[in-house]
Amino acid sequence: MEAPPVTVMPVTGGTINMMEYLLQGSVLDQSLESLLHRLRGLCDNMEPESFADHELVYLLKGQQGNPFMLRGRRSLLHPTAPWHLRYLGQPEVGDKSRHALVRNCVDVAASHSLPEFLNEMGFRMDHEFVAKGQVFRKGAMKVVVSKLLRVLATGNTENTEPLSLSYLVELSVLAPAGQDTVSEDMRSFAEQLKPLVHLEKIDPKRLM
Amino acid sequence: MCQLEASLESLHARVAHLKGSLQSFILKLENEHDRLTWPSVLDNFALLSGQLNTINKVLKNEKTPSYRSQVIIPLLLSPDRDEELVKLTEQRVPVFSHEIVPDHLRTKPDPEVEEQEKHLSAEAARIGPEVAQKQIQTLNKLCSNLLEKLNNPRDDRDSESSALRQNKPSFNPADTNALVAAVGFGKGLSKCRPPGSVPPGHPGQPTMSTGPTLQQVTIAGTTGHQAGMGGQVAQQQPGQPGKMPSSIKTNIKSASASMHPYNR
């Protein structure tokens, strides 16, 4: 059987190629309340959703190139809910004027046998963390305010400690490729959160 | 005498205005309270306050004789209904009798009000004139400060407030970087020993003889799978179909070193 070309995206039954537009920032613990109030005012009027998720990041180390990363996420508040498997591509190196980080994004739901399945496939868990926080929505935009917690003993989500004294704030939009108006809307929303939070495009490679 | 009458007339007119506006306000509150906006409520209150002000002015007017020196004496009390009185008072006082006179013609304030007034005057007498003067001055100064701030929007107010805000930053850029790095590629999070390799490693290593056959079986199985899963497997392990034959041989040869068939 001939190997399909590597550049072909995975066959997912005819879905559109989704890109994730992302802006990130952080807020100190003591200023969290004011940020939450502001978000409640700015975002769609609904009860803010709290979440507590355990995310495991799996790496598949190839003989060449960068390791392939997959993220599996499960809810600690709803243990019977399916796992969420996500692939995030490399950030698109487009024009510098684009205000948000753009990367390819594939999301699928998975059953509870996901960790064993990934292990059988050859993935190895690289790191894990617990994220607890709230989700706000404004139209297509999603704002996630979360506290990242380090898991002290592998697999034990009861024993955690905060990673820092701040909450991570992420503004994201899932949209098909090529819609640049999205980043404009994100930027104007981010303006409204200043000076509490500075949401900006942070390239993770810069921080390696 | 005519001064008294004139002042009474004007006072009567003002009070009538006040009554009218109070009535309309109450009606509005009772009937249209769900459509009422705060600015219109404020307008009503402002109107009432203005009318009270004019009444105060009328009373303070130098042309107004002191009402305290006037006495009202009821000349005729009767239990009969008086039609003219009814008309004058808009149906509120039908009978000028012994019951209504003490209420309507009283000059003493309510007992609670009297009590409070006594309390206040005792307090005022207690603190002495100098302290009272100082308190008056402080109050005046506070009021004038507030009025000035409200009346003069200053441009340099923004720079003052931004200077204040800088003293209490609400985010730490170093924290931002740390969090983004943690979420992006696990910086600062302990890299765990791969738990997946441990279980197959244990049964594999002691039984080396069964190792190769085990691998052969699994690899055969995976080649079967390969045909079915085609693109997905290719995506996850780029270049794998081409390389698999060679790695099979390698793994069979060194079964102890690399147990997992997909180990690259």
Side-chain angles (χ1 to χ4, degrees):
Chain A
M1 190 195 86
E2 214 179 56
V6 180
T7 50
V8 165
M9 297 313 291
V11 176
T12 49
T15 56
I16 314 168
N17 202 11
M18 295 303 264
M19 309 297 281
E20 187 200 36
Y21 293 75
L22 183 68
L23 283 176
Q24 290 167 307
S26 76
V27 69
L28 290 170
D29 287 350
Q30 59 258 32
S31 311
L32 176 73
E33 276 307 306
S34 8
L35 178 67
L36 289 179
H37 280 141
R38 203 180 274 206
L39 284 171
R40 280 189 85 150
L42 288 172
C43 295
D44 290 346
N45 187 19
M46 35 165 268
E47 280 305 311
E49 259 175 69
S50 293
F51 69 90
D53 287 346
H54 177 205
E55 180 157 325
L56 299 90
V57 181
Y58 286 88
L59 280 186
L60 182 68
K61 291 194 166 75
Q63 282 168 342
Q64 78 292 358
N66 293 331
F68 185 82
M69 190 190 277
L70 276 184
R71 296 164 176 277
R73 205 158 169 142
R74 69 177 175 118
S75 171
L76 294 171
L77 295 178
H78 307 281
T80 50
W83 283 62
H84 175 203
L85 185 65
R86 178 172 249 219
Y87 163 72
L88 289 172
Q90 293 298 317
E92 253 184 40
V93 195
D95 47 321
K96 295 281 190 294
S97 65
R98 196 182 289 156
H99 304 291
L101 196 76
V102 186
R103 51 193 185 179
N104 188 21
C105 172
V106 181
D107 290 297
V108 287
S111 71
H112 289 263
S113 52
L114 182 69
E116 295 109 63
F117 178 74
L118 287 175
N119 279 322
E120 293 297 323
M121 294 290 287
F123 287 83
R124 292 291 168 261
M125 181 162 77
D126 185 58
H127 59 272
E128 58 178 342
F129 58 88
V130 172
K132 291 191 182 175
Q134 295 186 328
V135 181
F136 297 85
R137 262 193 288 270
K138 184 175 173 67
M141 293 195 284
K142 184 172 77 164
V143 182
V144 180
V145 179
S146 57
K147 185 98 177 135
L148 294 185
L149 303 160
R150 186 185 286 133
V151 176
L152 295 170
T154 310
N156 183 5
T157 53
E158 302 297 317
N159 206 6
T160 57
E161 67 168 15
L163 207 57
S164 82
L165 295 171
S166 296
Y167 276 70
L168 179 66
V169 184
E170 288 175 305
L171 172 64
S172 62
V173 179
L174 270 182
Q179 284 190 6
D180 272 334
T181 50
V182 169
S183 57
E184 281 305 316
D185 295 335
M186 288 173 74
R187 195 173 74 93
S188 49
F189 187 79
E191 283 294 316
Q192 295 182 335
L193 289 181
K194 287 187 180 170
L196 272 180
V197 191
H198 273 210
L199 286 174
E200 49 194 3
K201 168 164 92 164
I202 303 178
D203 191 4
K205 283 202 283 284
R206 220 168 23 91
L207 304 167
M208 269 186 166
Chain B
M1 187 55 197
C2 52
Q3 257 189 3
L4 182 63
E5 275 187 13
S7 63
L8 275 177
E9 282 284 333
S10 62
L11 192 62
H12 180 73
R14 297 275 174 266
V15 172
H17 283 154
L18 183 63
K19 193 172 78 131
S21 49
L22 267 174
Q23 260 179 350
S24 64
F25 190 30
I26 291 175
L27 273 175
K28 237 200 258 188
L29 282 175
E30 282 178 359
N31 298 338
E32 301 169 15
H33 61 90
D34 43 355
R35 275 169 296 167
L36 217 46
T37 64
W38 180 238
S40 69
V41 170
L42 274 182
D43 285 340
N44 279 101
F45 277 121
L47 180 65
L48 290 171
S49 145
Q51 283 173 342
L52 280 169
N53 253 340
T54 46
I55 291 176
N56 270 337
K57 271 201 216 124
V58 165
L59 287 173
K60 271 195 230 162
N61 193 358
E62 50 198 21
K63 287 225 182 103
T64 325
S66 160
Y67 292 136
R68 281 179 197 273
S69 53
Q70 312 288 334
V71 178
I72 303 179
I73 309 172
L75 289 174
L76 176 63
L77 294 175
S78 82
D80 304 322
R81 194 181 157 88
D82 190 355
E83 287 308 313
E84 223 180 84
L85 189 57
V86 167
K87 251 193 302 190
L88 267 179
T89 58
E90 294 173 11
Q91 319 271 343
R92 273 173 292 133
V93 185
V95 183
F96 198 63
S97 71
H98 307 81
E99 302 158 335
I100 62 113
V101 163
D103 286 330
H104 280 73
L105 298 184
R106 88 152 25 130
T107 50
K108 238 178 150 195
D110 289 340
E112 303 102 30
V113 178
E114 219 177 348
E115 193 59 45
Q116 276 184 345
E117 267 212 55
K118 212 165 44 170
H119 198 68
L120 278 173
S121 33
E123 185 80 27
R126 192 176 58 85
I127 60 171
E130 309 91 30
V131 182
Q133 195 61 25
K134 230 190 299 191
Q135 283 186 354
I136 294 172
Q137 279 172 355
T138 332
L139 179 66
N140 282 337
K141 201 160 46 158
L142 283 172
C143 288
S144 55
N145 273 350
L146 197 60
L147 276 173
E148 196 191 302
K149 279 214 181 111
L150 287 171
N151 287 332
N152 310 332
R154 281 180 294 182
D155 292 311
D156 52 358
R157 193 193 289 163
D158 289 328
S159 63
E160 283 176 18
S161 44
S162 64
L164 275 170
R165 263 180 248 148
Q166 272 161 15
N167 293 339
K168 290 186 287 183
S170 59
F171 69 94
N172 182 359
D175 273 353
T176 310
N177 289 340
L179 288 170
V180 171
V183 173
F185 47 86
K187 189 171 181 181
L189 297 169
S190 54
K191 305 289 176 187
C192 16
R193 279 184 58 86
S197 65
V198 175
H202 279 237
Q205 277 175 342
T207 59
M208 288 217 298
S209 52
T210 53
T213 44
L214 194 76
Q215 290 208 320
Q216 263 180 330
V217 170
T218 47
I219 285 159
T222 49
T223 25
H225 265 283
Q226 184 70 6
M229 291 201 316
Q232 214 165 19
V233 178
Q235 170 64 18
Q236 288 172 347
Q237 296 161 8
Q240 182 195 352
K243 292 222 163 126
M244 258 196 82
S246 55
S247 59
I248 290 176
K249 291 184 195 137
T250 335
N251 282 350
I252 290 175
K253 278 181 192 160
S254 56
S256 54
S258 55
M259 269 317 299
H260 206 286
Y262 291 91
N263 202 359
R264 291 274 168 273

